[in-house]
Amino acid sequence: MACQMSWRQESLDRRVHALEVDSGEKHLNEPSHAVEVDSGEKRLNELGYKQELRREMSLLKIFAITFSSMAVFTGTPLYGSSLLYAGPASMMWGWVVVTFFTWFIGIAMAEICSSFPTAGSLYFWAAHLAGSRWGPFASWCCAWLEIIGVVSGIGAQAYSSSQALQVIILLCTGTNKDGGYFAPPWVFLCIYIGLIVIWAGLNIFALQVIAFLDIISVWWQVIGGLLVIVMLPLVAPHTQSASYVFTHFKTSPEMTGISSKPYAVILSVLLSHYSLFGYDTAAHLTEETKGADITGPIAILSSIGVITIFGGAYYLALTFSIQNLDYLYDPTNETAGALVPAQIIYDAFQGRFHHSGGAIVFLFIIWGSYFFCGLSVTTSAARVVYALSRDAGVPFSSIWRQLHPKYKVPKNAVWLCAAISILIGLPILKLNVVFNAIISISTIGWVGSYAVPIFSRLVMDEKNFKPGPFYLGRTGRPICLVAFLWICYTCSIFLLPTYYPITWNTFNYAPIALGLCLGLIMLWWILDARKWFKGPVKNISLQNGNI
């Protein structure tokens, strides 16, 4: 009860502070002759927020961070299972279908981002688009879905990165067949924790440091991606035919326990769904970006475009380079059956050169992609927590909204996100399916948060929408409808069991974990938060009182 009173009092204090105007501050409608106000900052002021974060990011830098959050090689851990469910044809054509519908989501979000360039992004959009009656509830749901998604997203990237590093260490010390070192669960967990701590530590520095690293990430992934995509099929002793890649359909009920072909096809496309989100990162950084009402939408759409091309080409390169499909899943193979793409790459180099050095280099490129992606996701997660804390929507908000005095980054929010992502990874010590659960939770929370503002935009009265430079006009509603329905489909399939029979080691724990989290959040809303949480809190006032 004391905590609840504290949160309510904090909210009241925050709102009283929002109504106060420093006597030394100029009103926004007073002319300024010294400095021309940035278009993104001007729109931010119109929405009721003053500029607190440093606005120094360019289009290249915001694209670099957004692109890194998506990453070319993100779906690598899911490649093996997706290929196993229904064969290469289902997986590759699934990529085409998923990217097609992803564009609807990206375009819908780009329009909203252009109108609302704020760090709160999705939950801020939901609050304004849903109107005064439903805005607070829509904002609450969206904010917490997004926090669940991005924080577990840190864990997903840490797990993927740890898995790649585990295989790299194995091949550097030999192979699974000749005494190479395969890290046990406790060492794997230490790697997992170490990566998250490194990402959090780097995020304490100025955003310019993260932007610089993510520019390196873009070149790393573009050059490294091209190297893998072009060289892997050339190195492979023999390649699969186009007919095999695009028309071969085969289920594997003896390994997956799934005999239903439609069900197998649905699961084979999980790879594509997981690889194609995270483009909202550009929206979280709009308060730190020059001309954010224009650069934000461009970064969102360009990131989707680049990942669509490079991601699809990467999975094609892997599939064309398969030497022996059944051997990929053998736990006694050189990579211990731990990561199917690693075995594909190993087979190619070992078969051609009788040496695994090239495979280690390629796997290091993939690992680097995970490292940069985790760094960017940590940046994004901290901004979401900071933005909601600024509006008193998180317990002990006064702590999490504090900025580093020198670098002006949300340092406490960074460490909070890191701590939670470490906690959700602890079951790695006992359960092999932790990764599947983390991926499902991340995807449902992250993509599910997109649905709230998009649905609000779909049903709102058009005359109440103030468009930015990127405006869809009459095409906006049908685009939002398709985007919303596709998001609902995407979230639902990540709740499905992925292996049968269902045991402790095959059960999909995502529905239980999500149900518990969302149940507590909704209970908090019903019993307490609805009384004081009114959505984003303005921290400046305008003379004319209009926003």
Side-chain angles (χ1 to χ4, degrees), residues 364-415:
F364 185 73
I365 292 172
I366 294 172
W367 176 84
S369 174
Y370 293 141
F371 182 86
F372 288 121
C373 183
L375 183 66
S376 294
V377 173
T378 304
T379 304
S380 181
R383 267 59 185 178
V384 177
V385 172
Y386 161 77
L388 186 58
S389 298
R390 184 173 60 180
D391 297 326
V394 179
F396 311 109
S397 292
S398 60
I399 299 175
W400 316 126
R401 67 170 176 252
Q402 290 180 12
L403 299 177
H404 192 287
K406 179 179 179 180
Y407 300 120
K408 300 300 180 182
V409 295
K411 56 184 179 67
N412 292 344
V414 168
W415 288 113

Side-chain angles (χ1 to χ4, degrees), residues 216-471:
I216 295 175
S217 168
V218 172
W219 291 110
W220 179 284
Q221 296 193 69
V222 170
I223 296 174
L226 284 173
L227 183 64
V228 174
I229 291 166
V230 174
M231 293 300 298
L232 184 59
L234 294 177
V235 168
H238 76 269
T239 56
Q240 299 292 335
S241 66
S243 175
Y244 173 82
V245 173
F246 294 109
T247 65
H248 184 67
F249 177 89
K250 180 187 176 183
T251 59
S252 302
E254 70 283 356
M255 296 184 69
T256 64
I258 298 170
S259 56
S260 169
K261 291 182 179 179
Y263 192 36
V265 170
I266 289 173
L267 294 181
S268 72
V269 186
L270 290 178
L271 163 72
S272 303
H273 289 285
Y274 176 64
S275 300
L276 290 165
F277 69 92
Y279 36 87
D280 60 301
T281 299
H284 301 312
L285 300 173
T286 49
E287 285 190 36
E288 299 162 86
T289 306
K290 300 173 184 177
D293 51 347
I294 299 173
T295 55
I298 293 175
I300 289 173
L301 298 178
S302 56
S303 296
I304 294 174
V306 174
I307 294 296
T308 295
I309 296 170
F310 274 79
Y314 168 58
Y315 300 122
L316 278 174
L318 285 175
T319 309
F320 272 111
S321 303
I322 293 174
Q323 303 300 297
N324 184 337
L325 180 62
D326 294 334
Y327 187 63
L328 298 177
Y329 301 93
D330 187 344
T332 65
N333 65 21
E334 288 80 2
T335 57
L339 189 63
V340 167
Q343 187 64 40
I344 293 175
I345 296 170
Y346 175 87
D347 287 344
F349 279 93
Q350 187 69 23
R352 174 73 67 179
F353 302 112
H354 307 291
H355 193 275
S356 62
I360 294 172
V361 172
F362 276 25
L363 289 172
F364 185 73
I365 292 172
I366 294 172
W367 176 84
S369 174
Y370 293 141
F371 182 86
F372 288 121
C373 183
L375 183 66
S376 294
V377 173
T378 304
T379 304
S380 181
R383 267 59 185 178
V384 177
V385 172
Y386 161 77
L388 186 58
S389 298
R390 184 173 60 180
D391 297 326
V394 179
F396 311 109
S397 292
S398 60
I399 299 175
W400 316 126
R401 67 170 176 252
Q402 290 180 12
L403 299 177
H404 192 287
K406 179 179 179 180
Y407 300 120
K408 300 300 180 182
V409 295
K411 56 184 179 67
N412 292 344
V414 168
W415 288 113
L416 175 64
C417 294
I420 295 173
S421 59
I422 288 173
L423 288 175
I424 64 177
L426 293 181
I428 289 171
L429 288 172
K430 294 295 183 181
L431 295 172
N432 296 326
V433 292
V434 170
F435 181 56
N436 291 336
I438 293 176
I439 280 181
S440 297
I441 294 169
S442 176
T443 306
I444 294 169
W446 207 331
V447 178
S449 66
Y450 298 173
V452 183
I454 289 176
F455 179 77
S456 301
R457 174 74 180 95
L458 174 65
V459 299
M460 76 177 299
D461 192 331
E462 189 66 24
K463 67 182 180 182
N464 294 329
F465 181 71
K466 181 177 179 180
F470 185 89
Y471 180 50

